[in-house]
Each structure stands twice: as C-alpha cells, then as structure tokens.
Amino acid sequence: MPTRVLLAHPSPLALRQLEKIVAQDAELECVGAASQGREAWQKFQEQAPDVVVSALPLALLSGLELTQQIMHSRPTPILVLAACAPEKASEKSEAEAALRAGATDSFCLETPFPLENHKTAELVAKIKRAARVPVISRRAASRESLESREAVAKPRKSAENRAKVVSRETTAREKAAKIVAIGASTGGPPVLLSILRALPSNFALPIVCVQHISPGFLGELVSWLDSQCEIRVQIARGGEKLEGGAAYFAPETAHLEITKSFHVRLDHGAARDGHRPSATTLFESVARACGPQSAAVLLTGMGRDGADGLRAIHDAGGQTFAQDEASCVVFGMPKEAIALGAARFVLPPAEIARRLAALKAVK
C-alpha cells in the first residue's frame, strides 16, 4: 500500500507542484490538498493520512496550530515546510515551534516553487522517512516525563529480555564527572529543553550536544534553548575551551569532538550512521578524553546513531543514560543502545535531568 499523504500550502502553484511530486512516486498517494488550515484539518479528520506535509503560513489555522491539533488528537508524522532565507526569520522560528509541538521533521525551502530536481528528490525522501516514524500524543509524552521511576539496564542476552530494567540506588561515584555528552534526533528539541532547563546556572560541568536537525534550523533551536535555560547554550566553535555551566552544540555540518585538554575539535569528514554531526563520534571522543569521569545521554531518535558511542563510554567506565520507550517520540537510537548493553540507566527525561543536576565536578 502506498503512503497516504495530505498536503497543505497557501499557494495554488506550490500546491499543484506538491501534488505532482507525490503523484510521480509510486510509493506515495495524495489523499487530499488544502490551501487553508481549517480545510487541512477537516481533510485530516476525513482521510486519516499516513503523513502530513504542511506549510506554516496557512490562513484560518496556521501550520503550527494544525500541528498542535493533530498531535493532540490523532498523532501523525508531520513534515513542515519553511523558508530559510534570513528575511524569513519568523517562519524559521515557527518551524522550530512546530518541531517542539511534535512535528517529525522540517524541509528547508531555500527558493520558492517550483523546486529544482535535487530538492524534489530530497523532499520525497523526507516524506517517506517521516512516514516511517512512530509518533505518540504530546499529552501522553508529557505525563510520562513526570514519572520518577528509577531503572538500570542490564546487558541483553536475548531479544526477549532486552526491555528488562531493575531498580538500583545511585552510588557516590555516579555523582561525579568531568563532562556531560548528549545525543538526540527526532523529537529531541523539547526533551533537550526539559533537561537543560533543569540545570542551574552554576552547573559545574560543560555539556556537549549533537542534535540531528534539518539544515538552517540549528541556530534558531540554540537561540531558543539559550533563552529558556539558566546555563549558556551556544554552537561550538573549533578550538574553543569548554567551560562549566554551558552547553555546546555541534554545528550542522561538522562532527564535534573533545580533546583531552577540553578544547573543541570540528571534523568535516564522512558521515557516520548516516549523520554528520554524529553522536557516536562525539561520545567516542568523550570516552577517550575523560574515560570513567564522563556522563552521556542518548535521547529519542530514529536509527542507531549514538549507540556504539554510548557503548564506548560505558566500557570506559562512564555513566550512561538512555531515554525510556514510553517518553520517546521515536524509540530508535535508545533502543539500539539498550540492545548493546550500553545504557546503565533507562529513564524518563525528568529523572535524567535530576541525575545530571546532581552531578559534581571531579576535582
């Protein structure tokens, strides 16, 4: 069965081209096209599509409001279309808000319609990828994030017991570290906010992060996080020295690595597990630099990036955390890490944040 797609765009020209793009791929089927938000909402309820492709500036009901209603009623993968030109900063900001509300991914429109061939192929690939992402209600995820159940993952011996977790007290050694590393992908922005916002301004450790995100949107995400958190949040610059009380995000097109002297190294080499930046590349560098005095967190996301890197930190004696399935938008990356026996703790975001906030700097 082809993937059933609902389209929403205020421009008749753009809507026609989107319909044509979908119609030309045998794996996709357009089940509705709307030029207004309310019309899109009505067709969504009537057609129950597999994926929604929506522009943001819609009349009567905006793309952001449409995303919120869908994620609160019948969670469905949503690909938002947004302009990335500098003069369209407000639209980029709204795209980031849609991602926080539960949209699966964003597609950067560098030029108006019609799209060039390479952008058409990229759009089709994103639609298909979005359709494969399992999503959950934003309200359900919020309730799960309030749980404080503690769990520790044990090495897996078979597929049947991979989800087993057992309770355990935190030891004194697990309350000290030199650095915190975080990897996230689909569904990551709101979870990152919940974790970073829980850290005080005098948090003693530096934090290094990889967030997979569409080109053109990282700056907006980092600015938003910085405005919401007590710690500083910024994009990492090659050669700079890491400081406590700050979170450093890998740039959109470079791997982020940490040296033993706690300086940033940016690498534009080949992608790993389909990603550059790669969470595994970051985690492996942290394992080399800090060994048992490191802490790492792998959050919601599709694929397996970060799993091998989390295992490297685990094997070096560091503290490793994976987000639990109930609170993940996509239980891909954490699941792969748990299957490797790489995650010592499997927890909801609120408990991960509590554990990180309790960390003391190694003297």
Side-chain angles (χ1 to χ4, degrees):
M1 295 290 291
T3 297
R4 305 171 72 254
V5 184
L6 173 64
L7 305 170
H9 201 288
S11 164
L13 172 63
L15 204 54
R16 284 197 297 272
Q17 190 187 15
L18 287 170
E19 290 181 275
K20 183 178 178 181
I21 290 171
V22 169
Q24 288 176 340
D25 193 293
E27 297 179 11
L28 303 177
E29 176 190 1
C30 179
V31 296
S35 59
Q36 295 180 344
R38 287 183 184 173
E39 180 187 9
W41 172 242
Q42 181 178 353
K43 290 187 176 181
F44 171 81
Q45 294 175 300
E46 294 171 350
Q47 299 296 330
D50 299 315
V51 63
V52 176
V53 179
S54 175
L56 292 166
L58 297 174
L60 302 180
L61 188 72
S62 72
L64 172 58
E65 292 169 326
L66 178 63
T67 297
Q68 292 169 333
Q69 289 196 190
I70 289 173
M71 297 310 294
H72 284 176
S73 61
R74 190 178 70 82
T76 299
I78 301 171
L79 177 65
V80 294
L81 308 176
C84 347
E87 63 271 17
K88 297 287 187 178
S90 61
E91 194 166 326
K92 287 178 63 177
S93 179
E94 192 171 1
E96 186 57 51
L99 291 172
R100 298 197 298 270
T104 304
D105 200 356
S106 58
F107 181 75
C108 180
L109 295 174
E110 298 168 348
T111 58
F113 285 88
L115 298 179
E116 297 179 1
N117 289 339
H118 73 282
K119 292 295 288 185
T120 295
E122 181 185 345
L123 175 59
V124 168
K126 276 186 172 279
I127 293 173
K128 292 179 179 180
R129 186 169 62 190
R132 296 196 301 270
V133 175
V135 292
I136 60 176
S137 167
R138 303 309 294 168
R139 289 178 293 187
S142 178
R143 287 195 297 271
E144 289 291 344
S145 69
L146 296 177
E147 292 185 0
S148 59
R149 171 177 49 85
E150 295 186 2
V152 178
K154 293 295 184 181
R156 275 42 179 168
K157 296 182 180 179
S158 66
E160 289 74 19
N161 65 4
R162 284 179 181 173
K164 285 187 177 180
V165 291
V166 296
S167 297
R168 178 175 131 177
E169 292 296 321
T170 304
T171 68
R173 186 182 68 81
E174 291 161 353
K175 294 181 180 179
K178 285 186 175 180
I179 194 169
V180 175
I182 302 176
S185 188
T186 307
V191 183
L192 282 166
L193 174 63
S194 68
I195 291 174
L196 298 180
R197 191 161 56 183
L199 304 178
S201 59
N202 63 349
F203 185 67
L205 309 180
I207 304 159
V208 283
C209 306
V210 163
Q211 165 67 58
H212 302 154
I213 196 166
S214 295
F217 292 96
L218 180 65
E220 183 66 33
L221 170 63
V222 169
S223 296
W224 169 66
L225 289 171
D226 186 56
S227 70
Q228 300 293 315
C229 301
E230 293 188 27
I231 64 171
R232 298 195 327 273
V233 184
Q234 61 192 68
I235 296 176
R237 302 186 304 274
E240 72 178 313
K241 179 72 177 289
L242 299 178
E243 298 178 352
Y248 302 83
F249 276 74
E252 290 180 348
T253 59
H255 295 302
L256 171 60
E257 296 180 306
I258 304 305
T259 68
K260 290 186 177 180
S261 62
F262 269 50
H263 285 82
V264 170
R265 179 177 179 270
L266 299 181
D267 177 14
H268 292 84
R272 294 189 64 179
D273 292 320
H275 296 283
R276 190 183 66 204
S278 160
T280 283
T281 297
L282 172 63
F283 289 170
E284 288 177 348
S285 74
V286 168
R288 291 191 298 268
C290 301
Q293 298 171 331
S294 55
V297 182
L298 194 57
L299 301 175
T300 174
M302 184 166 60
R304 69 177 318 278
D305 184 38
D308 293 329
L310 199 71
R311 182 58 189 262
I313 290 179
H314 174 279
D315 291 350
Q319 302 172 58
T320 53
F321 303 83
Q323 186 176 349
D324 68 344
E325 182 175 8
S327 64
C328 281
V329 172
V330 184
F331 190 54
M333 289 158 44
K335 180 180 179 181
E336 292 291 335
I338 294 168
L340 288 177
R344 294 187 62 220
F345 300 96
V346 180
L347 301 166
E351 183 57 25
I352 292 175
R354 189 186 72 81
R355 295 288 188 100
L356 296 183
L359 290 174
K360 305 298 181 184
V362 174
K363 297 181 180 180

